[in-house]
Amino acid sequence: MGGCRMAASSRRSSSAPLPPALVEELATGRILFASTEFLELSGYPSGELIGRAAAELRLWADQKASDPVLAGARSTPVRASLRTRSGDIREVLVAVQPGAGCALATVAVPVENGSRLHEIVQSGKLFLELVENCRDFVCVATLEGQVLYVNPAGRRLVGIAPDADVTGASLGDYYTKDGARFVRTVVHDRLVEQGFFHGEVQMRNPGTGEVIDVEMDSFLLPPQTPGDPPLVASIKRDVRETRRLQARLAQAERMESVGRLAGGIAHDFNNMLSVVLGFTDLARGRIPAGHPAAADLDEVTKSAERASLLTKQLLAFGKQQAIHGMAIDVNEVVRGLERTLRQVAGDRVQVEICLSPGQSVVSADPGQLEQVLLNLVANARDAMRSGGVLRIATGEEVLDDEAGHREALPAGRYAALSIRDTGTGMDRATLERIFEPFFTTKRPGSGTGLGLATVYGIVRQTGGAVQVESAPGKGSEFRVLLPRTDRPTPRSVQPLSRPAAAKRHARVLVVEDRVNLRILVERCLREAGYDVVAAESGAGMAEAALKADVLLTDVALRGPSGPEVAAELRRRAPRLRVIYMTGHDPEAARALKPSGRLLPKPFKPEQLLEAVRAELDDAA
Ligand SMILES: Nc1ncnc2c1ncn2[C@@H]1O[C@H](COP(=O)(O)OP(=O)(O)OP(=O)(O)O)[C@@H](O)[C@H]1O
Ligand SMILES: [Mg+2]
């Protein structure tokens, strides 16, 4: 073990990166260790290399000519052809150095970087360089876990000072309780029986208590002199970031597919609700005031409205809600909603609002952003049943390439909206599921589990991300990042509702392929005094268009789409105004661009009439 002991000095690692390297068992050719750099170069995960021989893997393309061991490479590096996992051939320069009697180190560098290899080989310190510069945790210990050596990267990982003498310390101190038990039993037995172990275990930094998931390769080093106890060399790789990314990706994929499903159902549902709401209103208009059926119809309307709220949330989650993106100042949205937010938070919760000036103009739908705020504040309140502090803050966050990659966002400047509470907090299992639609920990009837799904859908659709930090008993912080825009905010925000539509004689073309919805729209318009021409497609409407004022069309028609129909009719009748009725088509927002109004489904007759009226007003 002389080689390893020599490496036990706590020399600081040099800044030059470690070249790709393998350690092979002299007697069998089994690979005992592969540096991260070698894994990157060869494309192999360590689990597929450790314990197998290079020859078995056909790692060197032409065994005789290019196996560096067979070719007798030593202080003079030889050229060799490395076969990567995908079968590509990489030309490398290879040097081999015998280790402490039991192992061979093979270092391979791409031909371009050959001079670095000469340097290392000439200094005769290949093993030392290898271990001290390795980015992984490398240690040597007795089979019972008494530490002999830990390399600089290992010391950094578990919080051992660079110059601390760890000889004789117990390796068990650097594992979690479960981790230590696993190593004492399973890993120990595997080492004794097979000579090596590959698997995952949890380490910990005893100073900070931080838990570190590592992938570990351990192998027995045969005693140098007979009678010496065997030693164990161990290489551990921090896999937390990889696992986090994998979990995020899996979650994003799950959300994507659930979103598609939810959006699809909600879309059809919206159409049916339009019909229910519309015909109920018409029926109410036909019975005298005070008729006993009026109260029943009110109940139908109320339920349908509740259902429509639910569908809206599902559409937002499925990222299929039509968005009205405009330049808005997040600070203004918070200010405008302040009273409501305080009401939602309730008396027991102290609300602090901390808006940092400027840097908060984003391109988003103001109504949707309000919904995000309301949902997050309602959750915070629910987490602070017996009171607490709710802090709403805004600021800016700059994501570099790496941070952007983590959030699946392009690098750039983002406005940050933070909602922090001092409530119950969440454990890991809850945190993993909070964005799933219908996931709730609340009593039946007090939560639908759509709040955060809606937030997620809206924020992703706006090009942002939601970050969450929470721990049981420690409260929670939700941070919403939204891409900033340089567009100026409009001076005044349009009032959300317009005065009720008054009758005005004009002609309206209706194109809607769902019969009952078409009949409903037609009837509403006629009763309001409009001339109506209705059809299931744009075919044969050209003549009528010349005499019409407004075209009211669905966006997703079975034949040519609403925008196509509108474009065609407008070519003939350029003054024709257009209103698109839409459940969820993202296309709608784009179709709106040249000119055209959006009427989101489900709508009530008065909303329909308001839209037509507003379009006629604009035309005048
Ligand atoms: N600030 C928070 N503190 C603690 N737990 C939270 C917080 N926000 C969300 N949660 C947890 O996430 C779950 C899902 O939240 P979500 O807003 O999606 O649904 P909900 O609040 O249960 O129901 P809904 O919002 O539809 O009424 C909650 O049931 C709760 O367990
Ligand atoms: Mg909620």
Side-chain angles (χ1 to χ4, degrees), residues 499-504 528 530 609 613:
K503 279 190 190 181
R504 176 185 148 159
Y530 292 105
L609 295 177
R613 168 64 194 266

Side-chain angles (χ1 to χ4, degrees), residues 392-545:
I392 303 175
T394 58
E396 193 198 20
E397 186 149 327
V398 180
L399 296 187
D400 58 17
D401 285 333
E402 199 185 324
H405 180 67
R406 249 194 326 263
E407 298 298 338
L409 289 180
R413 291 172 176 278
Y414 290 79
L417 169 65
S418 148
I419 311 304
R420 200 169 72 195
D421 65 60
T422 54
T424 54
M426 289 171 271
D427 58 18
R428 227 162 145 173
T430 305
L431 269 172
E432 271 170 21
R433 301 196 53 196
I434 50 173
F435 293 115
E436 283 176 23
F438 302 113
F439 172 79
T440 178
T441 57
K442 294 173 188 166
R443 278 195 325 276
S446 60
T448 53
L450 280 175
L452 288 178
T454 309
V455 168
Y456 179 91
I458 290 175
V459 174
R460 289 308 291 180
Q461 195 180 8
T462 311
V466 191
Q467 302 173 327
V468 194
E469 245 178 76
S470 183
K474 299 249 167 73
S476 311
E477 179 179 6
F478 284 78
R479 277 169 69 79
V480 174
L481 300 185
L482 296 169
R484 282 183 45 200
T485 174
D486 293 330
R487 275 192 288 152
T489 48
R491 246 183 294 282
S492 67
V493 177
Q494 277 196 352
L496 286 178
S497 63
R498 287 163 176 274
K503 279 190 190 181
R504 176 185 148 159
H505 192 73
R507 174 168 295 184
V508 183
L509 300 188
V510 177
V511 180
E512 166 64 69
D513 52 4
R514 277 164 238 262
V515 183
N516 43 9
L517 196 54
R518 188 170 69 237
I519 295 173
L520 173 70
V521 169
E522 207 181 331
R523 242 159 82 178
C524 286
L525 291 171
R526 276 196 214 290
E527 286 184 10
Y530 292 105
D531 259 359
V532 183
V533 179
E536 61 175 346
S537 73
M541 290 286 242
E543 273 308 302

